Amino acid sequence: MELEEAEATQFLESLLGKTLHVTVPDGRLFTGRFQCTDRESNIILSTAFEYRMPPKASEKAAIDEVKATGQPRRADMTSRFVGLIVIPGKQIAKMEVEEKRDWPGSSGQPFSIRTKT
Amino acid sequence: MVQPQILHPNTQISNITRQFRDAASRLQPGKLVKDEDFTLFEAVGALEIGDPKMDSGSLVFDPDLDEELGLSTVATAEETVWLMDELIRREVAWHMGYPLSQTLFTSVHIERLLWPVPRQLTDARFDRGDPVATRPPSLILDVFQPYCIGLIKCCDLVLSMITSEHYYEEEDFATQIYNRPLLHDFPVDEVLVMLQNARIWLHDSSLPAGLKDALKARLDLRQSLLGLFQSCALGDRSTIEHLDRSIAYIKMVESSAILGRATANEAFTLKIQRKLASSVPPRPMVAIERPKAFDFLRQLITESTIAFQVFDITASGDLLVAYQTFMAQSPQPAIYVRALLQSFLTCHDAVLGKFAVKDFIAQDIQSLVRPIVPLLDHGVGLDDTATDAKFHFCSRLDSFMNRCGHSFLNLFRTFCLNRCRVRRTLCHAALEWDQIQAEAEEMDTLAQSLFREEPMPYPPGEELTLSYSLSSWVYHHKLMQLRIVVQTGFELSIYAPHEFTEIYWYLSFLSSTHLSHLERISFFVSSKQLSAQTSPNAVRETLRNLYRHFTWLKATEAMSKALHRVLVVIQRHGQLTNPNPAYASELLRYELRMRPFMHLSVPEPIDVDVAKDLASLRNLSDPVILQQASQLIQVARKAWDEVMREKWHLQPLSRTEEVKSSPNTSLGATRYGVVEREWTKDVQNAMRACIGAGIAISTLSKAFHEGRIAAVKVEVPPVGHRDRWHSSWPVPRISG
């Protein structure tokens, strides 16, 4: 049990300072720097942004337009800065961590479109 | 493990929901995993997501939120009138310090014009994104839209003015614009053209006359506000005629407000708060009641216009009185006006657009102390025979004047702050001026040897001493600031009534110190040595200046001494006594009250026991004290009379072209001479307080002689009460 807790703590500590993407039940997504958590999975994110799905009406309008014209059309999510936030554990519908991607086979070189050819 | 999702070639996101929950649940209760640098103290300020009281984006109680904000592009003339008036109520609320998110940014129309941020002025449209071709002319697009653009541009000019001067966020004004620049990049003139076109459209329309006039008046008011803010931004004086017109428009707007009718669609909503960048919880909508909003607007326009009267002032001392008096008005001028007055100090890089800072301060020093050293052009007389010492002195004098200039101008700025900040800033400034005084003394010492000043006995017949002109000037300003610190303490109700005795004693101490300082200055100014340097006229001018300060201080000294005595007697007989709560001590309270004065080199801090002893007048009997009080109050009366005779300014005011050309100059001057009016009111109120104190003294003496002094009732009317004649002069009211 003690070992398990140590492992759990280690895992959680490894996430500190990373950017988390947290979705809440009403569909909004929050991104921010992970600062703190506890047993109930309450989390604190700093310099957080809130993203909301576009309103149903403009989404529908975009889809209709795509159908009618065949041209791609976007209905953007709206975002705003919300600063320091607490997300209670029970509000977390989905949690993701953003990480640097290691390009397979590369020697630590960051991926770039140009090197692909 | 779930396959990571690739967001960008270099970034991926992995779902860790279960892993995280699982790991967290293994923590001991109460244990936190947290970043080293993160403190729980910070966490207190975090917004809780999902809590509708904290989270302005929460959807819990509003399933309809995902609807686009409804914005109808049709409105009747009645609705347009209503919309304009509702906007004014919110605009005023913003002027008063509420954030845009609670005021103008609750308007769906304003939001539509500002978001997404327009790249060109023509992008700021209600029907943005709609097909352009089929646009029938409408009140909303042709009248209300330009009106809103005019309003936003007004806000932009107001914001620029305030943020370029000293103000206090939250206390005075909320500057947050939520990434919506208020049409900042677009020229005012284009907006004025839009308003003009709207007026033409209205003129040609077939609306009923009453509604047409109501809408016209609103456009005219907007146009004149925009014009006013524009000229203020440029430092141009707008005319009294312009002011009269604006006031007339407000009257028309006010009287036609009854024609307005609320729109069926929701025109103002808190939903917009969910879109604004915000680290604060959702807050309620604020709109000022209509009559108050119009009163505010009237005052704002009037004061923004007449503030320019200070440009007629030609002397620094008069300007200081003007700033002090203008800002002591109750209610205090709006933050916009307070910023405007600050901007005059750097108008076209010069004080009032005409005095270089150095000339300005040199003039102030000259008019008060007539120093033996030439303050300006002192380099001119230097030739090959000049010594190194002289060169050295000149460069030091230059840098001293630069440093002083800064502090001196800050004194004017300080009066433009809100009242609590005026006092607080003066407390800090006193320390700074104490430091400046030490530097000035060094300069004086250098000047004495360099200019071979002869020592003279002062006081006459006593030890030899020298003029110390520069440091005398500094000390004068420092003492004035200290006095204001004490007097604004009364005004802001900082002291409890049982403390008044000691505070009045300290005020009389400060004014006595100041009076003897002025006497010393006038002795040296009129001495042959210094007066030989300047014209007899200049010396006479300085003596007159000193005399004016002298009368004011004499009145203050005598009145504070008299009131000190009244309060001593009252307290001796068990009234207004210290409630002595368990947690308080005399020493702590004394330290607290004297904090601004305790670290000064002069006047020397007074030990608590000495102060208590002096303030108690313990060697004097009640009848003697009352006798002294009644003599002192008569001295004060005479001194206030003399102050009133002297008027508020020393130097004549320069009359502007506009006033000269106006046929009823005297009428205009009395009607709009704001400093004159306020200054006179201030002195009159001080006189009334003086009379009140006289009555208190005779009531008290009578009660004493009839042996019922312990039975009298004592009350000190609080600030704002009808019987509080002057806010900085609390006078006990004695009955029974």
Side-chain angles (χ1 to χ4, degrees), chain A residues 4-5 28 35-37 39 41 52 55 80-82 84-86 88-89 92 95-97 99 101 111, chain B residues 6 9-10 12-17 21 26-27 33 35 47 49 55-57 65-66 273-274 276 278:
Chain A
E4 278 183 350
E5 194 196 340
R28 282 178 297 160
Q35 297 286 9
C36 180
T37 191
R39 190 180 154 89
S41 294
R52 280 195 304 129
R80 63 168 181 160
F81 179 72
V82 284
L84 187 68
I85 57 170
V86 180
I92 299 173
M95 181 192 289
E96 292 152 311
V97 61
E99 275 162 322
R101 186 155 180 257
F111 173 84
Chain B
I6 300 165
N10 294 332
Q12 62 184 26
I13 58 167
S14 325
N15 190 332
I16 52 163
T17 321
R21 275 196 191 285
R26 284 168 205 267
L27 297 175
V33 172
D35 197 290
L47 291 174
I49 297 306
D55 175 8
S56 58
L65 172 79
D66 273 358
Q273 275 189 11
R274 295 170 189 174
L276 305 176
S278 163

Side-chain angles (χ1 to χ4, degrees), chain B residues 466-669:
Chain B
L466 294 145
S467 67
Y468 285 96
S469 306
L470 294 177
S471 47
S472 292
W473 173 80
V474 177
Y475 194 33
H476 163 76
H477 279 294
K478 187 169 79 181
L479 284 167
M480 180 204 67
Q481 294 171 50
L482 297 179
R483 177 166 47 83
I484 298 172
V485 166
V486 173
Q487 295 203 292
T488 46
F490 282 128
E491 178 193 323
L492 298 167
S493 310
I494 284 173
Y495 314 122
H498 67 83
E499 298 176 276
F500 288 175
T501 315
E502 277 166 45
I503 303 291
Y504 269 131
W505 168 76
Y506 192 69
L507 181 60
S508 69
F509 163 77
L510 281 178
S511 351
S512 306
T513 311
H514 204 161
L515 282 169
S516 19
H517 182 59
L518 291 181
E519 238 164 43
R520 185 185 194 282
I521 295 176
S522 57
F523 173 80
F524 281 97
V525 168
S526 43
S527 75
K528 275 201 191 117
Q529 216 183 154
L530 294 196
S531 57
Q533 306 270 325
T534 37
S535 71
N537 267 344
V539 171
R540 219 173 299 136
E541 197 98 285
T542 295
L543 290 176
R544 177 133 180 267
N545 189 14
L546 288 166
Y547 175 72
R548 289 160 47 82
H549 287 296
F550 195 89
T551 49
W552 187 284
L553 282 162
K554 192 71 211 168
T556 308
E557 187 209 29
M559 194 154 141
S560 49
K561 274 187 171 167
L563 282 162
H564 165 224
R565 279 161 177 74
V566 171
L567 288 158
V568 164
V569 173
I570 288 174
Q571 284 194 319
R572 278 185 188 177
H573 294 278
Q575 308 268 10
L576 299 184
T577 49
N578 188 346
N580 270 325
Y583 47 82
S585 86
E586 276 293 309
L587 180 65
L588 287 175
R589 201 182 48 73
Y590 184 78
E591 271 179 14
L592 178 70
R593 294 305 178 219
M594 291 294 140
R595 190 169 290 163
F597 316 103
M598 273 317 194
H599 302 284
L600 302 176
S601 48
V602 273
E604 275 175 46
I606 302 167
D607 193 71
V608 58
D609 296 324
V610 178
K612 259 184 94 76
D613 192 52
L614 289 172
S616 73
L617 304 176
R618 72 176 92 245
N619 297 326
L620 301 177
S621 68
D622 291 353
V624 173
I625 294 178
L626 286 170
Q627 178 61 26
Q628 287 182 349
S630 102
Q631 280 164 359
L632 284 162
I633 211 72
Q634 281 175 38
V635 173
R637 268 302 299 276
K638 282 188 194 131
W640 283 124
D641 283 340
E642 186 60 16
V643 166
M644 192 64 118
R645 255 195 301 281
E646 280 289 317
K647 298 274 188 293
W648 68 271
H649 55 95
L650 173 67
Q651 298 295 341
L653 305 178
S654 74
R655 313 279 286 288
T656 56
E657 289 307 311
E658 170 213 325
V659 176
K660 273 184 211 155
S661 64
S662 164
N664 39 10
T665 308
S666 59
L667 189 80

